[in-house]
Amino acid sequence: MNMPLDQVKPLLQVKHLKKYYPIKKGVISKTVGYVKAVDDVSFDIYPGETMGIVGESGCGKSTTGRSLVRLEDPTAGQIIFQGKDLANISHKEMRKLRTDLQIIFQDPYSSLNPRKRIGDLLAEPLLAHKLATKEEADKKVNEIMEIVGLPKQYKNRYPHQFSGGQRQRIGIARALMLRPKLIICDEPVSALDVSIQAQVLNLLKDLQKSLNLTYVFIAHGLGAVKYISDRITVMYLGKVMELATTRDIFENPKHPYTEILLNAYPIPNPHERNRNQMVIEGDVPSPANPPKGCVFHTRCPFAKDICREKAPELTGKAHLVACHFPIDERNA
Amino acid sequence: MSELLKVDKIKTEFQTDKGPVTSVDEVSFDLKEGETICLVGESGCGKSVTSLSIMHLLDRNGSVTEGSILFEDKDLAKATEAQMRKIRGNDISMIFQEPMTSLNPVLTIGDQLTEGIRLHMKYSKSEAKKYAIEMLKKVGIPRAEGIIDEYPHKLSGGMRQRVMIAMALSCKPKLLIADEPTTALDVTIQAQILELMKKLREESNTAIILITHDLGVVAEMADKVAVMYAGQVVEETDVYTLFDNPKHPYTLGLMESIPHITNPDDMRLTSIPGSVPSARNMPKGCRFYDRCPHAMERCLAEKPELKSIEDKQAHSIRCFLYENEEKDYEKKHAEKEVSS
């Protein structure tokens, strides 16, 4: 991604995406309220880039990712991909578009069918979309297995015969079978040990280069997100707090939440343990009952009256921030 | 500071249908009053089993078959269940990774918190409750008087972990074992809990065994560190030496494979190839042999011992590289740094 963003056409555009889950109560299941998992999220994804989405649990990052491939039906908003609005097309049409949109899940233990051999698991997408005959699919399986670093003689094994890292490679291989343009990576390394995490992150990076892939990389581990992303979206309680290039997010964060998140991350250097840490009090409020005004005001050390009343808009051109009092050029 | 705990070459085995499986082998470390040791390593390295061995909380098919665990000169490895009952929750207590599952859902916070206080400290019911409220306040729980009568599901993950800490510290233990206490929590909550543990440690001079896989947490909390791999300690030293001058190839690999937020932008992660050997099928020689970039012929056949390498500070390593080849290795490592 060297070209300035305004000269490239986005691959996918998310506009005012909302996903509300109804809260039902009583014998007739009356809807008494909504959990606002994703509440008015907008961003563009450009070809060849990696967009990282970070935030704490319950911030809506996974729901956002799943909505992009219509594993969740959005409540409102648009997802524009190749001239079509993914949020409002039929499931039949969506099925066709899934050849271009794939997803890798967090838990490599539960996202592979335990009764199927790896070869069959990998061939399935091609056969389901009627894109290849059995023989062609078989050839393709060999090819992809080699790309992700699995010996092809493992084809006849079942998922339980693999380690966590290998299973995640299988998950990646399955996503690659249809040669998609965009892959949603939903916490792909969170369940893996550190030495295996590095293997998988490096593999994802290499594949992106050689196959010209675009990623949406969802994670709560900031280190992994920084390593792989070109731009980062920081979410909190279903809303985007800040969106900027990886460098800006880490070197020049404007939203207090981003700064606190970066600061809370323990640094693997014992000489820095006595640094001034900003520890914020309290928990993330429930998305069923988000605070009025800015959703972060209950925990924000800089909150003023206006923050309790009015929700800030996400503003800015390349570096977007939703805060009434953004930290401006603090390091300048 | 006097010696509190001395774990000496313990071996923990599990009896299975397919024969015994050794999951901890020759693990040794010691701990003084008020000191914090971190056991780090990847899943299956035996860090949790080590702590469960100390507490006698292993499954029925598991037991410590060799070595000794001296706690205030009593050997816990040979203690009876009745003796352990007096120690657990009193002199040694433990907090677990999952605050969601380690509290009983059908008892109130107060019931669970006062049980140990009444048993070990012989307080009356009302005294115990008063003391429990005091403990809840100490760990930073707002509205402690109300929360004490609530059930665990009403609390968030961070709050539950605070309750667990209050429970573990209520009988003023000399040793606290914390098994991945912040792994299930969000980073901002993790920072709160670590801060709390540091504060309480200062106040009470409790020794801590902290089990974690996160080197960031290690750097934040530890006085000394034991790095574990495949059931063995491969490197043990104080926290500054470990981060400034790591020696064992596994420790080095681990440090280089962490994507950290302070890493330069274009740095590529070094990964350790392969995966951890299974406990059923441990290599005869060095257990890191097939993943080690410096593996020699000798490592395949011979088992390295955990040996001290420096006279000035305590720094022990389980690796042949540091017997004769130390200088040679230093040179190689320096070259690698220059070229990368």
Side-chain angles (χ1 to χ4, degrees):
Chain A
M1 286 298 303
N2 296 322
M3 273 205 281
L5 290 180
D6 45 6
Q7 288 171 25
V8 196
K9 246 181 84 187
L11 180 70
L12 183 130
Q13 286 179 291
V14 179
K15 291 180 180 172
H16 306 291
L17 181 72
K18 288 181 186 173
K19 175 67 192 174
Y20 293 178
Y21 296 98
I23 306 167
K24 294 191 168 157
K25 261 204 177 134
V27 270
I28 52 161
S29 295
K30 211 175 116 197
T31 301
V32 292
Y34 291 95
V35 172
K36 297 179 176 175
V38 177
D39 196 11
D40 202 358
V41 164
S42 305
F43 55 81
D44 295 344
I45 295 163
Y46 294 92
E49 78 166 341
T50 300
M51 166 70 93
I53 304 183
V54 292
E56 296 178 278
S57 38
C59 73
K61 55 189 191 299
S62 282
T63 311
T64 305
R66 292 170 64 90
S67 300
L68 299 186
V69 281
R70 270 292 279 281
L71 290 178
E72 304 283 348
D73 287 330
T75 309
Q78 291 177 303
I79 301 163
I80 312 285
F81 179 73
Q82 295 187 340
K84 289 196 175 123
D85 180 6
L86 301 187
N88 295 307
I89 59 175
S90 68
H91 281 275
K92 211 173 153 190
E93 259 183 292
M94 187 61 214
R95 216 180 125 94
K96 273 189 223 147
L97 282 170
R98 285 227 177 84
T99 55
D100 283 333
L101 298 164
Q102 288 288 311
I103 183 163
I104 302 168
F105 297 97
Q106 170 173 6
D107 187 355
Y109 294 87
S110 59
S111 54
L112 299 173
N113 186 338
R115 292 161 186 247
K116 283 203 159 152
R117 294 174 198 273
I118 297 312
D120 296 334
L121 265 171
L122 292 179
E124 200 178 7
L126 281 176
L127 301 175
H129 284 277
K130 300 197 177 64
L131 290 173
T133 62
K134 269 211 159 140
E135 290 73 42
E136 286 167 351
D138 198 52
K139 233 173 94 189
K140 189 87 195 263
V141 168
N142 291 346
E143 202 181 294
I144 297 281
M145 281 182 77
E146 202 189 318
I147 291 180
V148 299
L150 289 166
K152 62 180 174 213
Q153 57 268 33
Y154 286 1
K155 237 174 19 185
N156 291 323
R157 293 195 180 182
Y158 289 96
H160 74 267
Q161 293 170 296
F162 293 90
S163 68
Q166 285 173 323
R167 277 183 232 204
Q168 202 53 289
R169 283 175 198 268
I170 297 166
I172 294 170
R174 180 173 60 181
L176 288 176
M177 285 307 292
L178 297 169
R179 288 287 165 136
K181 295 198 171 72
L182 178 70
I183 300 182
I184 317 288
C185 310
D186 188 1
E187 306 248 13
V189 296
S190 310
L192 305 176
D193 273 319
V194 268
S195 70
I196 311 297
Q197 270 188 24
Q199 293 175 8
V200 172
L201 286 174
N202 282 338
L203 173 68
L204 284 170
K205 253 190 150 168
D206 294 341
L207 290 173
Q208 178 166 44
K209 238 189 225 160
S210 57
L211 303 175
N212 194 23
L213 295 165
T214 308
Y215 292 141
V216 173
F217 190 91
I218 299 162
H220 64 269
L222 287 171
V225 173
K226 183 187 179 203
Y227 182 59
I228 204 157
S229 306
D230 299 301
R231 291 191 303 145
I232 293 176
T233 302
V234 180
M235 288 184 70
Y236 184 79
L237 266 185
K239 286 187 179 291
V240 175
M241 297 286 109
E242 188 163 0
L243 196 171
T245 60
T246 301
R247 176 168 291 210
D248 278 346
I249 288 281
F250 281 89
E251 286 172 13
N252 186 20
K254 288 192 175 173
H255 200 287
Y257 178 63
T258 312
E259 201 188 17
I260 284 161
L261 202 62
L262 297 182
N263 208 284
Y265 204 75
I267 297 177
N269 178 356
H271 298 288
E272 297 223 13
R273 61 163 64 163
N274 292 324
R275 71 191 186 279
N276 254 339
Q277 245 196 325
M278 294 163 80
V279 176
I280 49 165
E281 299 296 315
D283 282 310
V284 183
S286 154
N289 188 17
K292 222 180 109 194
C294 172
V295 283
F296 186 57
H297 86 249
T298 53
R299 301 174 80 197
C300 183
F302 312 107
K304 304 221 163 47
D305 285 341
I306 183 171
C307 307
R308 290 174 198 107
E309 298 297 323
K310 197 172 154 256
E313 297 278 322
L314 189 67
T315 51
K317 224 179 150 204
H319 189 153
L320 293 98
V321 58
C323 181
H324 291 300
F325 305 101
I327 310 152
D328 257 323
E329 281 95 41
R330 178 177 283 196
N331 301 328
Chain B
M1 283 196 289
S2 60
E3 193 113 303
L4 182 70
L5 179 78
K6 189 167 174 56
V7 176
D8 192 23
K9 293 201 169 169
I10 57 163
K11 181 172 183 175
T12 303
E13 282 187 320
F14 290 90
Q15 305 302 326
T16 67
D17 296 344
K18 291 174 188 158
V21 169
T22 309
S23 80
V24 164
D25 198 8
E26 280 190 27
V27 166
S28 311
F29 57 87
D30 47 56
L31 199 58
K32 296 188 179 78
E33 275 173 24
E35 208 175 26
T36 300
I37 187 168
C38 280
L39 304 183
V40 299
E42 298 176 279
S43 38
C45 72
K47 53 194 195 298
S48 289
V49 174
T50 304
S51 68
L52 295 174
S53 303
I54 297 171
M55 285 292 262
H56 279 225
L57 288 175
L58 295 164
D59 283 346
R60 206 172 289 166
N61 63 349
S63 59
V64 178
T65 53
E66 279 172 34
S68 62
I69 303 165
L70 289 180
F71 177 73
E72 297 188 307
D73 302 322
K74 280 174 292 209
D75 187 359
L76 299 186
K78 296 192 180 66
T80 61
E81 188 52 32
Q83 289 169 321
M84 280 313 292
R85 275 185 76 96
K86 289 209 179 97
I87 291 171
R88 257 188 245 129
N90 192 16
D91 290 326
I92 308 179
S93 55
M94 189 157 181
I95 48 181
F96 300 90
Q97 173 173 357
E98 290 281 339
M100 321 286 163
T101 52
S102 37
L103 288 168
N104 188 334
V106 297
L107 292 177
T108 64
I109 301 293
D111 291 340
Q112 301 183 54
L113 203 48
T114 52
E115 188 187 350
I117 299 173
R118 293 187 64 193
L119 183 73
H120 292 301
M121 298 171 80
K122 310 275 184 272
Y123 277 10
S124 72
K125 209 171 170 183
S126 60
E127 279 172 335
K129 188 169 175 184
K130 224 172 103 190
Y131 182 68
I133 292 175
E134 216 176 283
M135 283 309 296
L136 287 178
K137 284 186 177 156
K138 215 171 176 176
V139 296
I141 290 199
R143 295 196 305 114
E145 291 86 354
I147 293 289
I148 195 157
D149 293 321
E150 295 283 8
Y151 289 89
H153 73 265
K154 292 263 186 176
L155 303 181
S156 67
M159 284 296 157
R160 281 182 228 193
Q161 201 56 292
R162 282 174 198 263
V163 170
M164 287 300 294
I165 292 174
M167 201 184 291
L169 293 181
S170 56
C171 295
K172 304 197 172 65
K174 298 188 179 91
L175 173 63
L176 173 70
I177 302 177
D179 190 352
E180 306 256 11
T182 58
T183 307
L185 305 174
D186 279 319
V187 272
T188 59
I189 309 298
Q190 166 168 291
Q192 292 172 4
I193 297 290
L194 293 182
E195 204 58 33
L196 173 70
M197 285 178 70
K198 278 188 203 164
K199 198 185 97 197
L200 296 173
R201 174 174 70 183
E202 253 164 52
E203 285 169 14
S204 61
N205 202 31
T206 308
I208 299 176
I209 299 178
L210 180 66
I211 296 166
T212 180
H213 66 275
D214 184 339
L215 285 172
V217 173
V218 174
E220 240 11 272
M221 300 292 293
D223 294 312
K224 54 186 194 177
V225 187
V227 180
M228 292 186 69
Y229 184 78
Q232 297 178 320
V233 174
V234 294
E235 180 157 6
E236 193 209 331
T237 182
D238 68 281
V239 67
Y240 294 99
T241 313
L242 187 87
F243 281 88
D244 294 343
N245 191 15
K247 292 274 190 192
H248 194 283
Y250 175 65
T251 315
L252 285 164
L254 205 58
M255 299 225 171
E256 283 169 5
S257 60
I258 299 174
H260 195 262
I261 59 174
T262 50
N263 282 355
D265 291 351
D266 46 359
M267 191 176 117
R268 188 175 166 87
L269 290 178
T270 327
S271 58
I272 308 176
S275 51
V276 185
S278 111
R280 233 177 255 291
N281 199 5
M282 275 302 169
K284 217 198 280 159
C286 174
R287 296 182 173 180
F288 192 55
Y289 174 77
D290 57 347
R291 303 177 77 188
C292 181
H294 309 285
M296 304 173 280
E297 233 169 88
R298 187 179 173 196
C299 310
L300 184 62
E302 247 178 282
K303 203 166 125 184
E305 297 282 321
L306 189 67
K307 278 189 186 157
S308 182
I309 55 154
E310 267 161 80
D311 305 327
K312 276 176 256 160
Q313 328 123 298
H315 191 172
S316 338
I317 287 151
R318 190 185 291 276
C319 186
F320 291 128
L321 275 178
Y322 295 97
E323 290 191 341
N324 305 319
E325 291 86 347
E326 177 152 14
K327 274 184 193 149
D328 184 14
Y329 174 78
E330 291 280 48
K331 212 176 95 198
K332 254 195 235 161
H333 191 62
E335 274 167 14
K336 202 175 133 204
E337 268 177 5
V338 170
S339 64
S340 62

